[in-house]
Amino acid sequence: QVQLVESGGGVVQPGRSLRLSCEASGFTFSNYAMHWVRQAPGKGLEWVAVISYDGTNKYYGDSVKGRFTISRDNSKNTMYLQMNGLRVDDTAVYYCARLIDYWGQGTLVTVSS
Amino acid sequence: DIQMTQSPSSLSASLGDRVTITCRASQGINDFLVWFQQKPGKAPKSLIYAASSLQGGVPARFSGSGSGTDFTLTISSLQPEDFATYYCQQYNSYPFTFGGGTKVEIK
C-alpha cells in the first residue's frame, strides 16, 4: 500500500534552517510529481511546492519562494524540503503528498525564539 | 494566482440531511478540482478528483459536480463520520490554491 512518511520537523529559531524528508513506498516514486502542503495551527491548507517526477521542474508558493527548495532522490524514494530563513509564520504541519490521492501524516515545524 | 472561494465557511446539519458545499474559482480551471475531507489531527483525505470522479473507497453518498469556475460537493445523506472540514483545491495552474474550508458540524 502507498505510504508517505515525513520526518525532520522540530523547533527552530527564526532565521535558521531545517530540512524535511518524505520517504515514499508502495508505488513507483519516480513516476509521480510530489508536493509539499502545510497547515498552520487552526488554519486552512496552503500549497507550498511541487517537484516533477524527474526533478527537472519545480514550482513554489509565493510565501516560500526564494527561501524554500524542493528536491528529490528517486534512488532513495525520498523527497526533501530545505527551508531557509524560517519565520514565525512558517510554523505549521508540513505534509508531503501525491496531492490528488495520497498524503503523509505530516511533521510539525515550530519556529519560535 | 487563482483564488478559490468556498461557501459556506461552516454549517450545522442533522444526520440524514443533504449537504451542499460550493467552491468558486476566480478564473476557469476546467475540471481540475479536488475535494478533501479533514478530521481534527488527521491528514486530508481525497474524496473527489477531476471535479466529479469519486476516489476509490469513498462512499457513494459523496458526489461532485461543476466545471469552469463553479463547483459543488454534495453529501446526499449525512452520516456521523462525515462531520469534518472540507476543502476544495484547484490543480489547473501553479500555484495550486485551496479554498478556505467548510466546517460541517452537528445540529
Side-chain angles (χ1 to χ4, degrees), chain A residues 33 35 37 39 43-47 50 59-62 95 99-106, chain B residues 1 34 36 38 41-46 49-50 55 87 89 91 94-100:
Chain A
H35 302 254
V37 177
Q39 186 170 36
K43 302 296 185 183
L45 299 167
E46 180 187 10
W47 179 83
V50 62
Y59 298 92
Y60 299 91
D62 292 341
Y95 297 101
L99 203 67
I100 305 305
D101 46 16
Y102 293 101
W103 291 52
Q105 286 307 299
Chain B
D1 299 0
V34 59
F36 295 100
Q38 188 179 33
K42 299 295 187 182
K45 173 188 174 183
S46 175
Y49 65 98
Q55 283 285 2
Y87 295 93
Q89 187 205 19
Y91 56 102
Y94 295 119
F96 291 174
T97 42
F98 289 89

Side-chain angles (χ1 to χ4, degrees), chain B residues 12-27:
Chain B
S12 295
S14 300
L15 294 179
D17 281 355
R18 182 181 182 89
V19 169
T20 299
I21 299 168
T22 64
C23 185
R24 174 165 289 176
S26 60
Q27 59 187 268

Side-chain angles (χ1 to χ4, degrees), chain B residues 11-21 61-63 73-80 82-83 86 104-107:
Chain B
L11 65 90
S12 295
S14 300
L15 294 179
D17 281 355
R18 182 181 182 89
V19 169
T20 299
I21 299 168
R61 63 181 179 273
F62 291 93
S63 64
L73 173 70
T74 299
I75 310 172
S76 60
S77 177
L78 200 64
Q79 299 301 302
D82 301 337
F83 293 96
Y86 294 84
V104 176
E105 298 176 304
I106 302 172
K107 183 184 283 184

